[in-house]
Amino acid sequence: MLVFPNLNLAEWRAKALSFESEIAKAVVGQDRAIRLMTIATLCRGHVLLEGDVGVGKTTLLRTVARALGGPYERIEGTVDLMPNDMLYTPFIGEDGRPRVDPGPALAHGENLAIFFFNEINRARPQVHALLLRMMAERSVTAFRREVRFPHLQVFADRNKVERDETFELPAAARDRFFMEIRVAAPAERAMRSRLVFDPAFHDVDALIGRVDEGILPYDRLAELATAIQATIHASPAIEAYVIGLWDVLRDLAGNDIAIEGVDVARLVVGGASPRGLSALVRAARANAWLEGRDSVVPEDVRAMFPVVMGHRIFFSPIYEMRRDEISPALHRAVFDAVPIPA
């Protein structure tokens, strides 16, 4: 059994819950999104947020970055952004000669902790390719050397409303995101009224500025993530349950899955890979830890399934436009097909 003498997991759990509480001061009505962001952070996974304009995606990401602390950089997705814009910043020096400084991805060297890509679908595929390497390998090559980012976590958001001059992420890029989290306006009328009428929420910079920094020290998160995965137990029954879900996803028609208006034999063209299922188990363990348990239960798996596996199950083009409608129905059908372990 692995031992982590430098980590008191009870103390770190208290820090993680404090992390969530602090974020909730600036981001109200988004408890589910905050919990998911915390789990992704505890698993060292990258996150893509999506939702309508003005629902608080950027505020949530900025607040999480502040609560984590550490070197932080942000870049705006635009149609004319090129990969080198992430790596180099050319300018004219005081002596009139051209100069090149490190760009946003390299400004902090290997200490970069949070890289926030705003409106990622406005950037070109060439930019996505560079970001994909940063996410997958936590490294880039620039200035004739390889720069590694051991603490890096990438946050991005996507505007699904506008389609002009946008470039949707390819399957390989989406798969590199540990979670895709949807953010919507709060359902509670009182919360929505507070966001509209309370002046505290009209100045986002001041709101975020009141959040404590470094609640979860970014340079200890890798060690904490390893400890959580090593100490939270998944029983043989849970292992069988997860593999059972995987088996059904791999052969929907053979497992009598039925979704109204969908030919399930033609629905899924890829996904549900070992990497995706591994991410699901990691997220379930982190959720169990936050809930104060030392073992995974089926509810942990089911709670994490939509945000970890949803974007990793690739539909055929005829059904892709109906993803928002079909995905929840598919998840329910898969859950119904696999008995919950006692």
Side-chain angles (χ1 to χ4, degrees), residues 8-30:
N8 183 319
L9 287 180
E11 291 181 359
W12 276 92
R13 179 173 177 270
K15 288 182 180 181
L17 296 178
S18 176
F19 174 81
E20 292 184 328
S21 299
E22 198 68 21
I23 294 169
K25 293 178 182 178
V27 184
V28 299
Q30 301 291 350

Side-chain angles (χ1 to χ4, degrees), residues 47-53 57-58 61 75-81 116-129 131 154-170 173-174 177 180:
V47 175
L48 176 65
L49 292 187
E50 63 177 30
D52 291 339
V53 176
K57 300 185 299 296
T58 301
L61 293 180
I75 196 167
E76 303 295 322
T78 61
V79 69
D80 59 346
L81 184 72
F116 172 27
F117 204 120
N118 192 36
E119 296 205 341
I120 189 173
N121 57 328
R122 290 195 181 278
R124 293 176 176 272
Q126 300 96 314
V127 179
H128 296 162
L131 184 69
V154 173
F155 294 148
D157 66 8
R158 176 172 60 189
N159 178 355
K160 292 193 67 175
V161 175
E162 298 178 59
R163 296 292 181 180
D164 294 337
E165 296 187 336
T166 61
F167 303 86
E168 286 307 313
L169 295 172
R174 294 184 68 181
F177 283 100
E180 283 193 11

